[in-house]
């Protein structure tokens, strides 16, 4: 998910009562909820598609979820000591307890991979012990409705706290509402996948991708052999599933085992890709794409060109 969502998750956890545990609890929760995204620094040393295979891996796995919160807790504890020595420590700050700082940093960090799992990009929960990808297919990466739930609950809680009321109750309501919204979207995805499988056959691969803003809709993809197609459910005309090719001219997926060894860009793309398909370029070569992120208006995103591989066209459907 986007970093605003991660930050709001940390904030609502704090407003549910966790911020009472120690001084600097809110920074521990909010920064902790964003910690695994330190892997975004890979853009400084990786090029092309290499970042696709690096993101949501090592910094989202078990060792990082133990070590990164420890570093954050140590920095926050040191910051508090530094302010105290300089006489700059706010009078209203609660005493800082290192154990609670670490625990809250860990809770915040743990929330991050759980929410990243909810979209179609995927996450490698067990890196470096396993490089398997996991996909929740439940929420779009930027979900304005989840934003609204979390923002309102945090605002309500802060307002109640300022007035001396029960400020933890709005936090818990926000958590419950957020979980209910996620559960509803999980059910929508499950129903869509069931419809797709019933329409195209259980042997086909199907993906139900959440749509931005229209949370009740899913963009369907079906894959078989070398071809991935976009699915459309037509109501009320006939109620049958219809598939449309993603690209104007599709190519057979070539055997790229040898090329993959020598081409780090290709290796990263194929490691990351969940729904790969090949499209013919203007010069007759191949461009590898992924059905989840195929956008004709931004054709260079999430793709890799193979200028030395000739397109072997698939028959039209």
């Amino acid at each position: 998910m986007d970093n605003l969502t991660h930050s709001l998750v940390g904030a609502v956890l704090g407003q549910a009562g966790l911020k009472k545990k120690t001084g600097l609890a809110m920074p521990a929760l909010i920064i902790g909820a964003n910690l695994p995204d330190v892997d975004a620094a890979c853009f400084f040393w990786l090029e092309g598609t290499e970042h696709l295979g690096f993101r949501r891996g090592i910094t989202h796995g078990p060792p990082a979820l133990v070590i990164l919160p420890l570093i954050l807790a140590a920095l926050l504890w040191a910051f508090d000591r530094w302010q105290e020595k300089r006489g700059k420590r706010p009078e209203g700050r609660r005493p800082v307890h290192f154990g609670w700082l670490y625990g809250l940093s860990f809770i915040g960090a743990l929330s991050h991979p759980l929410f990243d799992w909810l979209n179609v990009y995927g996450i490698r929960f067990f890196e470096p012990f396993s490089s398997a990808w996991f996909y929740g297919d439940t929420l779009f990466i930027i979900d304005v409705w989840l934003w609204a739930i979390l923002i309102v609950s945090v605002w309500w809680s802060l307002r109640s706290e300022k007035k001396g009321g029960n400020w933890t109750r709005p936090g818990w309501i926000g958590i419950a509402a957020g979980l209910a919204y996620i559960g509803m979207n999980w059910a929508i995805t499950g129903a869509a996948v069931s419809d797709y499988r019933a329409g195209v056959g259980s042997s086909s691969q199907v993906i139900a991708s959440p749509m931005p803003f229209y949370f009740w809709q899913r963009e369907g993809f079906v894959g078989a052999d070398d071809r991935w197609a976009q699915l459309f459910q037509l109501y009320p005309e006939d109620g049958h599933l219809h598939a449309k090719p993603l690209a104007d001219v599709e190519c057979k997926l070539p055997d790229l085992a040898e090329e993959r060894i020598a081409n780090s860009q290709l290796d990263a793309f194929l490691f990351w890709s969940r729904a790969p398909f090949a499209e013919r370029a203007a010069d007759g070569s191949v461009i590898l794409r992924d059905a989840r992120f195929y956008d004709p208006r931004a054709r260079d995103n999430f793709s890799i060109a193979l200028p030395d591989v000739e397109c072997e066209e698939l028959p039209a459907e």
Side-chain angles (χ1 to χ4, degrees), residues 54-112:
F54 183 83
R55 296 296 308 274
R56 298 197 181 185
I58 189 66
T59 63
H60 292 59
L65 294 179
V66 173
I67 296 171
L68 290 177
L70 184 61
I71 295 173
L72 174 60
L75 290 173
L76 291 174
W77 183 85
F79 175 72
D80 182 71
R81 299 282 83 79
W82 177 75
Q83 282 193 317
E84 187 174 18
K85 288 181 180 180
R86 296 188 63 199
K88 301 287 187 178
R89 190 180 193 277
E91 293 183 4
R93 180 184 294 165
R94 292 182 173 86
V96 171
H97 187 280
F98 183 82
W100 270 114
L101 271 184
Y102 177 56
L104 297 181
S105 299
F106 176 76
I107 290 171
L110 187 62
S111 73
H112 188 107

Short mmCIF file of all heavy atoms in Angstrom, two decimals, residues 54-112:
data_model
loop_
_atom_site.label_atom_id
_atom_site.label_comp_id
_atom_site.label_asym_id
_atom_site.label_seq_id
_atom_site.Cartn_x
_atom_site.Cartn_y
_atom_site.Cartn_z
N PHE A 54 13.36 -6.65 -6.55
CA PHE A 54 13.98 -6.37 -5.26
C PHE A 54 12.97 -5.89 -4.23
O PHE A 54 13.06 -6.26 -3.05
CB PHE A 54 15.09 -5.31 -5.43
CG PHE A 54 15.83 -5.02 -4.17
CD1 PHE A 54 16.88 -5.84 -3.76
CD2 PHE A 54 15.51 -3.92 -3.37
CE1 PHE A 54 17.57 -5.58 -2.58
CE2 PHE A 54 16.20 -3.66 -2.20
CZ PHE A 54 17.23 -4.49 -1.80
N ARG A 55 12.01 -5.06 -4.65
CA ARG A 55 11.05 -4.48 -3.71
C ARG A 55 10.21 -5.56 -3.04
O ARG A 55 9.98 -6.63 -3.59
CB ARG A 55 10.12 -3.50 -4.43
CG ARG A 55 10.77 -2.26 -5.02
CD ARG A 55 11.39 -1.35 -3.99
NE ARG A 55 10.50 -0.98 -2.91
CZ ARG A 55 9.64 0.05 -2.95
NH1 ARG A 55 9.56 0.80 -4.04
NH2 ARG A 55 8.88 0.34 -1.91
N ARG A 56 9.76 -5.23 -1.86
CA ARG A 56 8.87 -6.10 -1.07
C ARG A 56 9.48 -7.47 -0.81
O ARG A 56 8.80 -8.49 -0.87
CB ARG A 56 7.51 -6.25 -1.74
CG ARG A 56 6.76 -4.93 -1.87
CD ARG A 56 5.30 -5.15 -2.14
NE ARG A 56 4.59 -3.90 -2.28
CZ ARG A 56 3.27 -3.81 -2.43
NH1 ARG A 56 2.56 -4.93 -2.48
NH2 ARG A 56 2.67 -2.66 -2.54
N GLY A 57 10.76 -7.47 -0.55
CA GLY A 57 11.46 -8.71 -0.29
C GLY A 57 12.20 -8.69 1.03
O GLY A 57 11.60 -8.82 2.10
N ILE A 58 13.50 -8.50 0.98
CA ILE A 58 14.37 -8.67 2.14
C ILE A 58 13.98 -7.76 3.29
O ILE A 58 14.05 -8.15 4.46
CB ILE A 58 15.85 -8.45 1.75
CG1 ILE A 58 16.78 -8.85 2.89
CG2 ILE A 58 16.09 -7.03 1.29
CD1 ILE A 58 16.76 -10.31 3.22
N THR A 59 13.54 -6.53 3.02
CA THR A 59 13.18 -5.62 4.11
C THR A 59 11.78 -5.87 4.64
O THR A 59 11.36 -5.22 5.61
CB THR A 59 13.27 -4.15 3.65
OG1 THR A 59 12.32 -3.92 2.60
CG2 THR A 59 14.67 -3.82 3.17
N HIS A 60 11.05 -6.80 4.02
CA HIS A 60 9.71 -7.15 4.48
C HIS A 60 9.67 -8.53 5.14
O HIS A 60 8.60 -9.00 5.53
CB HIS A 60 8.73 -7.14 3.29
CG HIS A 60 8.47 -5.77 2.73
ND1 HIS A 60 9.47 -4.97 2.21
CD2 HIS A 60 7.32 -5.05 2.59
CE1 HIS A 60 8.95 -3.83 1.77
NE2 HIS A 60 7.65 -3.86 2.00
N GLY A 61 10.83 -9.19 5.23
CA GLY A 61 10.88 -10.54 5.76
C GLY A 61 11.17 -10.57 7.25
O GLY A 61 11.43 -9.54 7.89
N PRO A 62 11.13 -11.77 7.86
CA PRO A 62 11.28 -11.91 9.32
C PRO A 62 12.52 -11.25 9.92
O PRO A 62 12.39 -10.53 10.94
CB PRO A 62 11.29 -13.43 9.52
CG PRO A 62 10.51 -13.96 8.36
CD PRO A 62 10.84 -13.06 7.21
N PRO A 63 13.74 -11.45 9.37
CA PRO A 63 14.90 -10.81 10.01
C PRO A 63 14.78 -9.29 10.06
O PRO A 63 15.08 -8.67 11.10
CB PRO A 63 16.08 -11.25 9.14
CG PRO A 63 15.61 -12.51 8.49
CD PRO A 63 14.16 -12.30 8.24
N ALA A 64 14.33 -8.68 8.96
CA ALA A 64 14.21 -7.23 8.92
C ALA A 64 13.15 -6.73 9.90
O ALA A 64 13.30 -5.66 10.52
CB ALA A 64 13.86 -6.76 7.51
N LEU A 65 12.07 -7.50 10.06
CA LEU A 65 11.00 -7.07 10.96
C LEU A 65 11.42 -7.16 12.43
O LEU A 65 10.73 -6.62 13.30
CB LEU A 65 9.75 -7.92 10.72
CG LEU A 65 9.08 -7.72 9.36
CD1 LEU A 65 7.86 -8.63 9.23
CD2 LEU A 65 8.69 -6.27 9.14
N VAL A 66 12.51 -7.83 12.69
CA VAL A 66 13.08 -7.86 14.05
C VAL A 66 14.14 -6.77 14.21
O VAL A 66 14.16 -6.05 15.22
CB VAL A 66 13.69 -9.25 14.35
CG1 VAL A 66 14.43 -9.23 15.68
CG2 VAL A 66 12.59 -10.32 14.38
N ILE A 67 15.00 -6.62 13.19
CA ILE A 67 16.15 -5.72 13.30
C ILE A 67 15.76 -4.25 13.09
O ILE A 67 16.19 -3.37 13.85
CB ILE A 67 17.23 -6.14 12.28
CG1 ILE A 67 17.75 -7.53 12.63
CG2 ILE A 67 18.37 -5.12 12.27
CD1 ILE A 67 18.66 -8.12 11.57
N LEU A 68 14.94 -3.97 12.07
CA LEU A 68 14.61 -2.57 11.79
C LEU A 68 13.89 -1.88 12.95
O LEU A 68 14.23 -0.74 13.30
CB LEU A 68 13.76 -2.49 10.51
CG LEU A 68 14.48 -2.80 9.20
CD1 LEU A 68 13.52 -2.77 8.02
CD2 LEU A 68 15.64 -1.82 8.96
N PRO A 69 12.89 -2.53 13.59
CA PRO A 69 12.27 -1.88 14.75
C PRO A 69 13.26 -1.66 15.90
O PRO A 69 13.13 -0.67 16.65
CB PRO A 69 11.17 -2.87 15.16
CG PRO A 69 10.85 -3.62 13.92
CD PRO A 69 12.17 -3.75 13.21
N LEU A 70 14.23 -2.56 16.05
CA LEU A 70 15.24 -2.38 17.10
C LEU A 70 16.07 -1.13 16.83
O LEU A 70 16.35 -0.34 17.76
CB LEU A 70 16.14 -3.62 17.15
CG LEU A 70 17.20 -3.64 18.26
CD1 LEU A 70 16.55 -3.59 19.63
CD2 LEU A 70 18.09 -4.88 18.12
N ILE A 71 16.44 -0.91 15.58
CA ILE A 71 17.20 0.29 15.21
C ILE A 71 16.36 1.54 15.46
O ILE A 71 16.85 2.54 16.02
CB ILE A 71 17.64 0.21 13.74
CG1 ILE A 71 18.63 -0.94 13.54
CG2 ILE A 71 18.24 1.54 13.29
CD1 ILE A 71 18.98 -1.20 12.09
N LEU A 72 15.09 1.50 15.07
CA LEU A 72 14.21 2.65 15.27
C LEU A 72 14.05 2.96 16.75
O LEU A 72 14.14 4.12 17.17
CB LEU A 72 12.85 2.39 14.63
CG LEU A 72 11.78 3.46 14.88
CD1 LEU A 72 12.23 4.81 14.34
CD2 LEU A 72 10.45 3.05 14.26
N ALA A 73 13.81 1.92 17.56
CA ALA A 73 13.64 2.13 19.00
C ALA A 73 14.89 2.74 19.61
O ALA A 73 14.82 3.65 20.46
CB ALA A 73 13.30 0.81 19.68
N ALA A 74 16.07 2.27 19.19
CA ALA A 74 17.32 2.80 19.71
C ALA A 74 17.49 4.28 19.33
O ALA A 74 17.92 5.10 20.16
CB ALA A 74 18.49 1.99 19.19
N LEU A 75 17.13 4.63 18.11
CA LEU A 75 17.24 6.02 17.67
C LEU A 75 16.28 6.93 18.44
O LEU A 75 16.65 8.05 18.84
CB LEU A 75 16.97 6.12 16.16
CG LEU A 75 18.04 5.52 15.25
CD1 LEU A 75 17.56 5.53 13.80
CD2 LEU A 75 19.36 6.28 15.38
N LEU A 76 15.05 6.47 18.65
CA LEU A 76 14.08 7.27 19.39
C LEU A 76 14.51 7.43 20.85
O LEU A 76 14.37 8.51 21.44
CB LEU A 76 12.70 6.63 19.30
CG LEU A 76 12.03 6.67 17.92
CD1 LEU A 76 10.73 5.86 17.93
CD2 LEU A 76 11.74 8.10 17.49
N TRP A 77 15.00 6.35 21.44
CA TRP A 77 15.46 6.41 22.82
C TRP A 77 16.63 7.38 22.94
O TRP A 77 16.69 8.20 23.87
CB TRP A 77 15.88 5.01 23.28
CG TRP A 77 16.30 4.94 24.71
CD1 TRP A 77 15.50 4.79 25.81
CD2 TRP A 77 17.65 5.01 25.19
NE1 TRP A 77 16.27 4.77 26.96
CE2 TRP A 77 17.60 4.91 26.61
CE3 TRP A 77 18.90 5.16 24.58
CZ2 TRP A 77 18.74 4.94 27.41
CZ3 TRP A 77 20.04 5.20 25.38
CH2 TRP A 77 19.94 5.09 26.77
N ALA A 78 17.57 7.30 21.99
CA ALA A 78 18.72 8.21 22.00
C ALA A 78 18.28 9.65 21.80
O ALA A 78 18.84 10.58 22.41
CB ALA A 78 19.72 7.80 20.92
N PHE A 79 17.28 9.86 20.96
CA PHE A 79 16.76 11.22 20.73
C PHE A 79 16.18 11.79 22.02
O PHE A 79 16.39 12.97 22.34
CB PHE A 79 15.70 11.18 19.63
CG PHE A 79 15.00 12.48 19.39
CD1 PHE A 79 15.66 13.53 18.78
CD2 PHE A 79 13.68 12.66 19.80
CE1 PHE A 79 15.01 14.74 18.55
CE2 PHE A 79 13.03 13.87 19.59
CZ PHE A 79 13.70 14.91 18.97
N ASP A 80 15.44 10.97 22.75
CA ASP A 80 14.86 11.42 24.01
C ASP A 80 15.95 11.79 25.01
O ASP A 80 15.88 12.82 25.70
CB ASP A 80 13.96 10.33 24.59
CG ASP A 80 13.29 10.75 25.88
OD1 ASP A 80 12.39 11.61 25.82
OD2 ASP A 80 13.70 10.25 26.95
N ARG A 81 17.02 10.96 25.10
CA ARG A 81 18.13 11.25 26.01
C ARG A 81 18.84 12.53 25.59
O ARG A 81 19.25 13.34 26.43
CB ARG A 81 19.13 10.07 26.01
CG ARG A 81 18.59 8.75 26.45
CD ARG A 81 18.47 8.66 27.98
NE ARG A 81 17.24 9.27 28.48
CZ ARG A 81 16.05 8.68 28.43
NH1 ARG A 81 15.92 7.47 27.90
NH2 ARG A 81 14.99 9.28 28.91
N TRP A 82 19.00 12.71 24.28
CA TRP A 82 19.69 13.91 23.75
C TRP A 82 18.90 15.17 24.10
O TRP A 82 19.48 16.18 24.53
CB TRP A 82 19.84 13.76 22.25
CG TRP A 82 20.44 14.94 21.56
CD1 TRP A 82 21.76 15.33 21.56
CD2 TRP A 82 19.75 15.91 20.77
NE1 TRP A 82 21.93 16.47 20.82
CE2 TRP A 82 20.70 16.85 20.31
CE3 TRP A 82 18.42 16.08 20.39
CZ2 TRP A 82 20.37 17.94 19.53
CZ3 TRP A 82 18.07 17.16 19.60
CH2 TRP A 82 19.05 18.08 19.17
N GLN A 83 17.56 15.10 23.93
CA GLN A 83 16.73 16.26 24.28
C GLN A 83 16.81 16.56 25.78
O GLN A 83 16.84 17.72 26.20
CB GLN A 83 15.28 16.01 23.87
CG GLN A 83 15.01 16.20 22.39
CD GLN A 83 13.53 16.25 22.12
OE1 GLN A 83 12.76 15.46 22.65
NE2 GLN A 83 13.12 17.18 21.28
N GLU A 84 16.82 15.49 26.59
CA GLU A 84 16.88 15.67 28.04
C GLU A 84 18.18 16.35 28.46
O GLU A 84 18.18 17.26 29.31
CB GLU A 84 16.73 14.32 28.72
CG GLU A 84 16.61 14.42 30.24
CD GLU A 84 16.32 13.08 30.88
OE1 GLU A 84 16.55 12.04 30.21
OE2 GLU A 84 15.87 13.07 32.03
N LYS A 85 19.29 15.93 27.87
CA LYS A 85 20.58 16.53 28.22
C LYS A 85 20.65 18.00 27.83
O LYS A 85 21.30 18.80 28.50
CB LYS A 85 21.70 15.75 27.53
CG LYS A 85 21.96 14.37 28.13
CD LYS A 85 23.10 13.68 27.41
CE LYS A 85 23.37 12.31 28.01
NZ LYS A 85 24.47 11.60 27.31
N ARG A 86 19.98 18.35 26.75
CA ARG A 86 20.01 19.74 26.30
C ARG A 86 18.92 20.58 26.95
O ARG A 86 18.82 21.78 26.70
CB ARG A 86 19.82 19.80 24.77
CG ARG A 86 20.95 19.16 23.98
CD ARG A 86 20.77 19.43 22.51
NE ARG A 86 20.85 20.87 22.21
CZ ARG A 86 20.39 21.44 21.09
NH1 ARG A 86 19.78 20.70 20.18
NH2 ARG A 86 20.50 22.73 20.90
N GLY A 87 18.09 19.95 27.77
CA GLY A 87 17.00 20.68 28.41
C GLY A 87 15.86 21.01 27.46
O GLY A 87 15.08 21.93 27.71
N LYS A 88 15.77 20.27 26.37
CA LYS A 88 14.75 20.52 25.34
C LYS A 88 13.61 19.51 25.38
O LYS A 88 12.71 19.56 24.55
CB LYS A 88 15.40 20.47 23.95
CG LYS A 88 16.52 21.47 23.73
CD LYS A 88 15.99 22.87 23.59
CE LYS A 88 17.11 23.83 23.20
NZ LYS A 88 16.60 25.22 23.01
N ARG A 89 13.63 18.59 26.33
CA ARG A 89 12.61 17.55 26.36
C ARG A 89 11.26 18.15 26.76
O ARG A 89 11.15 18.83 27.79
CB ARG A 89 13.00 16.47 27.37
CG ARG A 89 12.13 15.23 27.32
CD ARG A 89 12.60 14.22 28.37
NE ARG A 89 12.00 12.91 28.15
CZ ARG A 89 10.77 12.59 28.58
NH1 ARG A 89 10.03 13.48 29.22
NH2 ARG A 89 10.31 11.38 28.35
N PRO A 90 10.20 17.93 25.95
CA PRO A 90 8.87 18.48 26.30
C PRO A 90 8.40 17.97 27.65
O PRO A 90 8.53 16.78 27.97
CB PRO A 90 7.98 17.95 25.16
CG PRO A 90 8.91 17.68 24.03
CD PRO A 90 10.18 17.21 24.67
N GLU A 91 7.82 18.88 28.45
CA GLU A 91 7.37 18.51 29.79
C GLU A 91 6.25 17.49 29.76
O GLU A 91 6.12 16.67 30.66
CB GLU A 91 6.93 19.76 30.54
CG GLU A 91 8.06 20.74 30.85
CD GLU A 91 7.59 21.93 31.66
OE1 GLU A 91 6.38 21.94 32.02
OE2 GLU A 91 8.40 22.83 31.91
N GLY A 92 5.40 17.56 28.74
CA GLY A 92 4.24 16.68 28.70
C GLY A 92 4.53 15.28 28.17
O GLY A 92 3.62 14.44 28.15
N ARG A 93 5.75 15.02 27.74
CA ARG A 93 6.06 13.70 27.20
C ARG A 93 6.13 12.67 28.32
O ARG A 93 6.75 12.88 29.35
CB ARG A 93 7.38 13.73 26.44
CG ARG A 93 7.77 12.36 25.84
CD ARG A 93 9.13 12.42 25.18
NE ARG A 93 9.11 13.31 24.03
CZ ARG A 93 10.20 13.78 23.44
NH1 ARG A 93 11.40 13.47 23.91
NH2 ARG A 93 10.10 14.57 22.39
N ARG A 94 5.52 11.53 28.09
CA ARG A 94 5.59 10.44 29.06
C ARG A 94 7.01 9.90 29.15
O ARG A 94 7.80 10.05 28.22
CB ARG A 94 4.65 9.29 28.65
CG ARG A 94 3.17 9.62 28.74
CD ARG A 94 2.34 8.40 28.36
NE ARG A 94 0.93 8.62 28.58
CZ ARG A 94 0.10 9.19 27.72
NH1 ARG A 94 0.56 9.57 26.55
NH2 ARG A 94 -1.19 9.35 28.02
N PRO A 95 7.35 9.24 30.25
CA PRO A 95 8.66 8.60 30.34
C PRO A 95 8.84 7.60 29.20
O PRO A 95 7.90 6.90 28.82
CB PRO A 95 8.62 7.89 31.70
CG PRO A 95 7.60 8.65 32.49
CD PRO A 95 6.58 9.11 31.50
N VAL A 96 10.04 7.55 28.68
CA VAL A 96 10.33 6.66 27.55
C VAL A 96 10.84 5.33 28.07
O VAL A 96 11.83 5.27 28.81
CB VAL A 96 11.36 7.31 26.59
CG1 VAL A 96 11.82 6.30 25.54
CG2 VAL A 96 10.74 8.52 25.92
N HIS A 97 10.15 4.27 27.66
CA HIS A 97 10.53 2.91 28.06
C HIS A 97 11.02 2.19 26.81
O HIS A 97 10.27 2.01 25.84
CB HIS A 97 9.31 2.19 28.64
CG HIS A 97 9.62 0.85 29.22
ND1 HIS A 97 9.76 -0.28 28.43
CD2 HIS A 97 9.80 0.45 30.51
CE1 HIS A 97 10.02 -1.32 29.20
NE2 HIS A 97 10.06 -0.90 30.47
N PHE A 98 12.29 1.77 26.82
CA PHE A 98 12.88 1.19 25.61
C PHE A 98 12.13 -0.07 25.16
O PHE A 98 11.93 -0.28 23.96
CB PHE A 98 14.36 0.86 25.83
CG PHE A 98 15.03 0.31 24.58
CD1 PHE A 98 15.49 1.18 23.61
CD2 PHE A 98 15.16 -1.06 24.38
CE1 PHE A 98 16.09 0.70 22.45
CE2 PHE A 98 15.76 -1.55 23.23
CZ PHE A 98 16.23 -0.67 22.26
N GLY A 99 11.72 -0.91 26.11
CA GLY A 99 11.02 -2.13 25.75
C GLY A 99 9.72 -1.85 25.00
O GLY A 99 9.42 -2.49 23.99
N TRP A 100 8.97 -0.88 25.50
CA TRP A 100 7.73 -0.50 24.80
C TRP A 100 8.02 0.15 23.45
O TRP A 100 7.29 -0.05 22.48
CB TRP A 100 6.89 0.42 25.67
CG TRP A 100 5.93 -0.32 26.56
CD1 TRP A 100 5.95 -0.38 27.92
CD2 TRP A 100 4.83 -1.13 26.13
NE1 TRP A 100 4.92 -1.18 28.38
CE2 TRP A 100 4.22 -1.64 27.30
CE3 TRP A 100 4.30 -1.47 24.89
CZ2 TRP A 100 3.10 -2.47 27.25
CZ3 TRP A 100 3.19 -2.30 24.83
CH2 TRP A 100 2.60 -2.79 25.99
N LEU A 101 9.08 0.96 23.40
CA LEU A 101 9.44 1.56 22.11
C LEU A 101 9.71 0.48 21.07
O LEU A 101 9.26 0.58 19.92
CB LEU A 101 10.70 2.43 22.26
CG LEU A 101 10.53 3.90 22.64
CD1 LEU A 101 11.88 4.59 22.64
CD2 LEU A 101 9.55 4.61 21.72
N TYR A 102 10.44 -0.55 21.48
CA TYR A 102 10.73 -1.64 20.54
C TYR A 102 9.46 -2.39 20.19
O TYR A 102 9.22 -2.70 19.01
CB TYR A 102 11.77 -2.59 21.15
CG TYR A 102 12.07 -3.78 20.26
CD1 TYR A 102 12.50 -3.60 18.95
CD2 TYR A 102 11.89 -5.08 20.72
CE1 TYR A 102 12.76 -4.68 18.12
CE2 TYR A 102 12.15 -6.17 19.90
CZ TYR A 102 12.58 -5.96 18.60
OH TYR A 102 12.83 -7.02 17.78
N GLY A 103 8.62 -2.68 21.18
CA GLY A 103 7.39 -3.40 20.91
C GLY A 103 6.47 -2.66 19.96
O GLY A 103 5.90 -3.26 19.04
N LEU A 104 6.33 -1.35 20.15
CA LEU A 104 5.46 -0.56 19.29
C LEU A 104 6.06 -0.40 17.89
O LEU A 104 5.33 -0.41 16.89
CB LEU A 104 5.20 0.81 19.92
CG LEU A 104 4.45 0.77 21.26
CD1 LEU A 104 4.24 2.18 21.78
CD2 LEU A 104 3.11 0.05 21.13
N SER A 105 7.38 -0.23 17.82
CA SER A 105 8.04 -0.18 16.51
C SER A 105 7.82 -1.50 15.76
O SER A 105 7.59 -1.50 14.54
CB SER A 105 9.54 0.09 16.68
OG SER A 105 9.77 1.32 17.30
N PHE A 106 7.88 -2.60 16.49
CA PHE A 106 7.66 -3.91 15.89
C PHE A 106 6.22 -4.07 15.41
O PHE A 106 5.97 -4.56 14.29
CB PHE A 106 8.00 -5.01 16.90
CG PHE A 106 7.71 -6.40 16.40
CD1 PHE A 106 8.56 -7.01 15.49
CD2 PHE A 106 6.60 -7.09 16.83
CE1 PHE A 106 8.30 -8.29 15.02
CE2 PHE A 106 6.33 -8.37 16.37
CZ PHE A 106 7.18 -8.97 15.47
N ILE A 107 5.25 -3.63 16.21
CA ILE A 107 3.84 -3.71 15.81
C ILE A 107 3.61 -2.88 14.55
O ILE A 107 2.94 -3.32 13.61
CB ILE A 107 2.93 -3.22 16.95
CG1 ILE A 107 2.94 -4.23 18.10
CG2 ILE A 107 1.50 -3.02 16.45
CD1 ILE A 107 2.25 -3.74 19.35
N GLY A 108 4.17 -1.66 14.52
CA GLY A 108 4.03 -0.83 13.33
C GLY A 108 4.64 -1.49 12.11
O GLY A 108 4.03 -1.55 11.04
N ALA A 109 5.86 -2.02 12.26
CA ALA A 109 6.54 -2.67 11.14
C ALA A 109 5.79 -3.91 10.68
O ALA A 109 5.72 -4.19 9.48
CB ALA A 109 7.97 -3.02 11.53
N LEU A 110 5.23 -4.67 11.61
CA LEU A 110 4.50 -5.87 11.25
C LEU A 110 3.25 -5.56 10.45
O LEU A 110 2.84 -6.34 9.58
CB LEU A 110 4.13 -6.64 12.52
CG LEU A 110 3.51 -8.03 12.33
CD1 LEU A 110 4.48 -8.96 11.62
CD2 LEU A 110 3.08 -8.61 13.67
N SER A 111 2.64 -4.41 10.71
CA SER A 111 1.43 -4.04 9.95
C SER A 111 1.75 -3.79 8.48
O SER A 111 0.89 -3.93 7.61
CB SER A 111 0.79 -2.78 10.56
OG SER A 111 1.55 -1.61 10.26
N HIS A 112 2.99 -3.41 8.19
CA HIS A 112 3.36 -3.04 6.82
C HIS A 112 3.22 -4.19 5.82
O HIS A 112 2.50 -4.06 4.81
CB HIS A 112 4.77 -2.47 6.80
CG HIS A 112 5.17 -1.89 5.49
ND1 HIS A 112 5.28 -0.53 5.26
CD2 HIS A 112 5.47 -2.48 4.29
CE1 HIS A 112 5.63 -0.32 4.00
NE2 HIS A 112 5.76 -1.49 3.39
#
